[in-house]
Amino acid sequence: MISGETQDTNLKSVMAEETKNKEVQDNTENVEVQDVAGMDSQSQPEQENQQENPEKFLEEFNWHNYEEGIDPIDDEKLEEFEKLVAENFVDTLDDEVVTGKVINITDRDAIIDINAKSEGVISLNEFRYNPDLKEGDDVEVLIDVREDATGQLILSHRKARVIKAWERVNTAHDESLVVNGFIKCRTKGGMIVDVFGIEAFLPGSQIDVKPIRDYDAYVGKNMEFKVVKINHEFKNVVVSHKALIEADIEEQKKEIIGQLEKGQVLEGTVKNITSYGVFVDLGGVDGLVHITDLSWSRINHPNEIVELDQKLNVVILDFDESKSRIQLGLKQLSQHPWDALSEDLKVGDNVKGKVVVIADYGAFIEVAEGVEGLIHVSEMSWSTHLRSAQDFVNVGDEVEAQILTLDRDDRKMSLGIKQLSQDPWTDITSKYPVGSKHKGIVRNFTNFGVFVELEEGIDGLIYISDLSWTKKIKHPSEFTNVGDELEVVVLELDVEGRKLSLGHKQIEDNPWDKYEKDFGVGSKHTAEITEIVDKGATIDFNEDITAFIPQRHLEKEDGSKLKKGEEAEFQIIEFNKEFKRVVASHMVIHKEEEQKIVKQAAKKSATQNKDNATTIGDVNADLQALKDKMEGKK
């Protein structure tokens, strides 16, 4: 049993133990909180009560709490303590960005006070973008690790920047705010821009309103942008610098166009060069100088006249206020070359020039700067057959020609080359009289004949019917080829119409004149069946004459038909020299013999009737003899 003195001694010892202090660390400042049990759990009256009535205190003393180390605290004290904690310490949530203050910077880390029970640590690598970081700066942080192995609070500035950056980027996009960004580097199609710590894409077309030729010049620069697109799924951001100035430019364009007048001369800068023209910046608004308005002379590409960034004066030709399009001219600032053309120049004069353009129908010759004349292909040669201008001249050739027409009002000129040489048709009758024989070159075909060139400018036509006496030709290509040499005879000559009719078969006599005698109707010839056709057969008497035998005329004496390869005697029953048609028959050979026997028998019978009366039996006998003969019995 414990005595009263011992209990009193122990109680005094406990009370001495309960007077110790407790310290609590905050991220902003060190808050020192004394132990509630030692400092506030007992007031002065309570201490006096313990001393005046120790027996009652001992009876009510909670030995269990003492043994377990639990200090009795009043509810009021607990509420006051919780209030102090709420006011001085942050709730360190993992997904919440808080603002902390840099209280110390070491060689490797920054010590950050976020009003927590202890300071946090952030590696200086996360502040490489901010080399000017110093003590006292406010920074945004995120709880990365509540306690590492050493019990240290680990913070992340980089993660906090990313979270805050996405919030700011979305706000900038939704509210069309202007943001600042740092162009880090080039990439395919544009640039990479750091916006609030996020890598955004700046397309090349969105850097400026004018085309950018040197992307590298923008690397390392800070510029203002508008966030034009956000892909939340892939965390992609697209920014534009062009969008910031387009609205101002449109207003500026309208203002400038409103002051424009046709014929007005302005100074501009060559902004872009294309194959069809040049775009000129007139100070906020662009105009187009078409390639045909760059120079009075013909050019192949605008870069022959102008170059990029060149300053030049242009004249306004036309503009469209509704579409903000301006048509400009450069050549209109100088005198038209036709106006400077000599007044002494007239039709019939010879001029020299350079071939600048070749087309299928002719060539354009520049006889003076900006003054061109057309030589039609028909005026390049006296030849009448179709040819191309490329057969006579090439681009860049220096040629001499004669002026055929000259229209100063319409600024048109036609030229001719062939007029510089004599027209071959002037003495055509003496060189190519009718009936004369010549050699020519086959130039081209038509369905109805062949064009043959006797000399440059002298062409003649051979109709398909005048190519051969004997061959049936459906197309000239069956008989000759382009480029072949042919002997011809002049059949007709039309000097006024400049037409020459030729013949080739007339070089030789017509063999059908002889064939008409040799193969006349009634003549007989022996030949072999060459081919069996639908309505009969054909036989070749020679290389020129092929005769047709109708089906029924193939019948032999015994009633059978001639077959291919069989040789027999044939009689010509039709001969047409004009259409080269010959028809023969084998049947008429034996039918003719039969008719001849009948006629002879009838004649003999008639003679006998005169000499003596012929009996019916005699006639029958004669007929029987004829029959036997035909059947081959006798």
Side-chain angles (χ1 to χ4, degrees):
M1 184 175 178
I2 301 175
S3 64
E5 291 183 359
T6 303
Q7 289 179 345
D8 186 55
T9 302
N10 291 336
L11 179 58
K12 290 180 180 180
S13 175
V14 169
M15 294 177 64
E17 289 282 332
E18 291 175 348
T19 58
K20 64 181 180 180
N21 296 327
K22 295 181 181 179
E23 294 182 353
V24 179
Q25 285 297 102
D26 185 270
N27 281 341
T28 311
E29 59 181 349
N30 293 328
V31 181
E32 197 175 87
V33 182
Q34 293 184 339
D35 187 274
V36 177
M39 178 178 176
D40 297 324
S41 62
Q42 291 181 338
S43 61
Q44 188 67 25
E46 290 175 340
Q47 295 177 359
E48 293 177 355
N49 186 35
Q50 292 175 8
Q51 295 175 2
E52 292 176 356
N53 195 357
E55 291 82 1
K56 182 180 179 180
F57 174 77
L58 290 174
E59 290 178 1
E60 297 175 356
F61 185 74
N62 191 332
W63 291 100
H64 174 74
N65 287 348
Y66 170 72
E67 292 175 356
E68 295 295 329
I70 300 175
D71 296 331
I73 302 174
D74 292 341
D75 292 339
E76 293 180 1
K77 300 299 182 181
L78 284 174
E79 291 177 1
E80 184 179 354
F81 178 76
E82 290 175 357
K83 183 178 180 181
L84 289 172
V85 171
E87 291 177 352
N88 291 281
F89 298 112
V90 298
D91 187 7
T92 53
L93 300 177
D94 292 340
D95 58 352
E96 182 179 354
V97 176
V98 297
T99 301
K101 180 174 291 186
V102 179
I103 62 174
N104 189 22
I105 298 178
T106 67
D107 293 339
R108 300 175 56 186
D109 302 315
I111 310 302
I112 311 297
D113 182 4
I114 62 170
N115 289 344
K117 294 182 180 180
S118 62
E119 291 85 2
V121 178
I122 299 178
S123 172
L124 288 179
N125 289 333
E126 298 191 19
F127 295 98
R128 283 183 296 180
Y129 77 95
N130 184 12
D132 298 327
L133 182 70
K134 60 184 181 301
E135 294 182 6
D137 287 351
D138 290 334
V139 294
E140 293 172 337
V141 296
L142 185 75
I143 306 301
D144 200 5
V145 179
R146 289 182 177 275
E147 290 186 1
D148 63 3
T150 62
Q152 182 66 57
L153 177 64
I154 305 300
L155 306 177
S156 174
H157 177 59
R158 180 182 59 81
K159 292 180 180 179
R161 286 187 72 209
V162 170
I163 293 174
K164 281 296 184 181
W166 276 104
E167 291 178 0
R168 293 170 182 170
V169 165
N170 280 280
T171 301
H173 178 261
D174 296 340
E175 300 180 8
S176 298
L177 301 178
V178 178
V179 298
N180 288 313
F182 175 76
I183 300 178
K184 298 175 63 176
C185 62
R186 279 191 62 176
T187 187
K188 183 178 180 181
M191 318 288 286
I192 298 298
V193 181
D194 186 326
V195 179
F196 302 134
I198 294 177
E199 288 191 347
F201 176 60
L202 172 63
S205 61
Q206 297 298 314
I207 297 176
D208 205 339
V209 291
K210 58 185 179 181
I212 301 301
R213 295 184 291 275
D214 184 11
Y215 285 74
D216 293 331
Y218 289 85
V219 176
K221 288 187 176 181
N222 287 295
M223 296 178 65
E224 291 184 336
F225 303 97
K226 284 189 70 175
V227 180
V228 294
K229 185 178 180 181
I230 297 177
N231 187 321
H232 293 280
E233 180 180 358
F234 297 102
K235 298 295 184 182
N236 291 334
V237 179
V238 180
V239 296
S240 171
H241 178 69
K242 177 181 177 181
L244 292 176
I245 55 179
E246 278 183 333
D248 294 336
I249 289 177
E250 286 301 321
E251 292 297 326
Q252 189 177 1
K253 277 185 179 180
K254 292 179 181 179
E255 183 178 352
I256 294 175
I257 292 176
Q259 300 174 357
L260 295 180
E261 294 180 2
K262 292 183 180 180
Q264 185 179 4
V265 178
L266 299 174
E267 184 183 45
T269 304
V270 177
K271 179 179 178 180
N272 191 21
I273 299 177
T274 67
S275 60
Y276 55 85
V278 177
F279 288 93
V280 178
D281 184 359
L282 301 176
V285 62
D286 293 344
L288 172 65
V289 183
H290 194 268
I291 186 173
T292 56
D293 291 317
L294 283 171
S295 172
W296 293 115
S297 300
R298 193 184 296 268
I299 59 174
N300 296 317
H301 197 276
N303 56 20
E304 299 175 16
I305 304 295
V306 298
E307 58 186 19
L308 287 172
D309 299 327
Q310 178 183 348
K311 291 188 179 296
L312 44 79
N313 290 330
V314 290
V315 61
I316 297 176
L317 303 180
D318 199 2
F319 56 89
D320 185 347
E321 294 185 13
S322 61
K323 297 183 179 179
S324 300
R325 294 179 180 177
I326 304 175
Q327 182 181 347
L328 305 174
L330 180 63
K331 70 180 185 181
Q332 288 79 4
L333 295 176
S334 60
Q335 184 183 20
H336 198 291
W338 272 87
D339 298 333
L341 196 63
S342 173
E343 292 291 339
D344 297 333
L345 204 64
K346 61 184 182 302
V347 173
D349 288 350
N350 293 345
V351 293
K352 292 183 179 181
K354 180 184 292 185
V355 179
V356 290
V357 174
I358 293 181
D360 290 337
Y361 55 85
F364 288 91
I365 312 299
E366 188 176 49
V367 298
E369 185 178 358
V371 178
E372 296 178 1
L374 171 64
I375 304 179
H376 194 271
V377 67
S378 62
E379 303 298 338
M380 292 182 174
S381 170
W382 290 109
S383 179
T384 56
H385 62 266
L386 299 177
R387 294 170 71 178
S388 175
Q390 286 91 337
D391 296 333
F392 300 96
V393 294
N394 297 309
V395 174
D397 288 352
E398 293 283 348
V399 297
E400 184 177 2
Q402 186 178 106
I403 299 177
L404 304 181
T405 63
L406 181 62
D407 189 340
R408 294 180 182 271
D409 294 333
D410 290 339
R411 294 168 177 168
K412 292 182 179 180
M413 181 190 302
S414 63
L415 307 172
I417 296 178
K418 70 181 185 182
Q419 286 76 10
L420 300 179
S421 61
Q422 184 181 2
D423 185 354
W425 281 82
T426 55
D427 58 349
I428 189 72
T429 53
S430 60
K431 293 176 65 177
Y432 301 100
V434 174
S436 60
K437 296 182 179 180
H438 308 275
K439 290 183 179 181
I441 303 298
V442 176
R443 289 302 182 190
N444 59 299
F445 297 142
T446 67
N447 290 329
F448 53 83
V450 180
F451 283 96
V452 177
E453 185 181 57
L454 300 180
E455 65 173 83
E456 183 73 23
I458 304 295
D459 293 341
L461 173 64
I462 305 176
Y463 282 99
I464 196 169
S465 58
D466 289 322
L467 287 173
S468 175
W469 290 112
T470 58
K471 295 181 180 179
K472 294 181 180 180
I473 302 172
K474 295 181 179 179
H475 192 273
S477 59
E478 300 174 7
F479 183 82
T480 187
N481 298 308
V482 173
D484 287 352
E485 185 179 70
L486 280 183
E487 286 190 88
V488 295
V489 175
V490 178
L491 301 181
E492 294 181 14
L493 180 61
D494 182 358
V495 178
E496 293 183 1
R498 303 174 76 92
K499 293 181 180 179
L500 194 63
S501 178
L502 306 175
H504 173 69
K505 69 181 184 181
Q506 289 80 2
I507 294 294
E508 301 174 351
D509 294 334
N510 187 355
W512 282 83
D513 292 339
K514 179 182 178 183
Y515 295 153
E516 188 176 18
K517 298 176 181 178
D518 296 343
F519 295 90
V521 174
S523 61
K524 296 179 180 179
H525 310 272
T526 300
E528 183 180 295
I529 300 294
T530 304
E531 193 70 39
I532 301 296
V533 294
D534 292 340
K535 296 182 179 181
T538 60
I539 54 175
D540 293 331
F541 289 128
N542 57 37
E543 62 180 7
D544 295 329
I545 297 180
T546 297
F548 174 70
I549 301 94
Q551 187 73 254
R552 65 188 187 87
H553 288 273
L554 290 171
E555 183 180 339
K556 294 190 292 186
E557 292 184 36
D558 59 1
S560 62
K561 301 283 186 180
L562 289 171
K563 298 180 180 178
K564 182 179 179 179
E566 285 191 70
E567 189 176 77
E569 188 177 15
F570 298 91
Q571 180 176 318
I572 306 299
I573 60 177
E574 181 183 348
F575 184 90
N576 190 314
K577 182 176 71 172
E578 182 179 357
F579 295 101
K580 300 178 178 58
R581 175 179 170 83
V582 179
V583 180
S585 172
H586 172 68
M587 180 187 71
V588 298
I589 297 293
H590 57 81
K591 288 292 183 182
E592 184 181 81
E593 185 68 23
E594 180 180 342
Q595 291 175 2
K596 183 178 180 182
I597 293 174
V598 171
K599 288 179 180 180
Q600 289 177 351
K603 184 177 180 182
K604 182 180 179 180
S605 176
T607 303
Q608 290 177 351
N609 286 335
K610 292 179 180 180
D611 294 340
N612 50 42
T614 303
T615 64
I616 296 175
D618 293 334
V619 175
N620 290 336
D622 290 339
L623 292 174
Q624 184 63 43
L626 176 61
K627 182 179 180 182
D628 292 342
K629 182 179 180 180
M630 292 178 65
E631 293 178 352
K633 293 181 178 181
K634 292 184 179 182

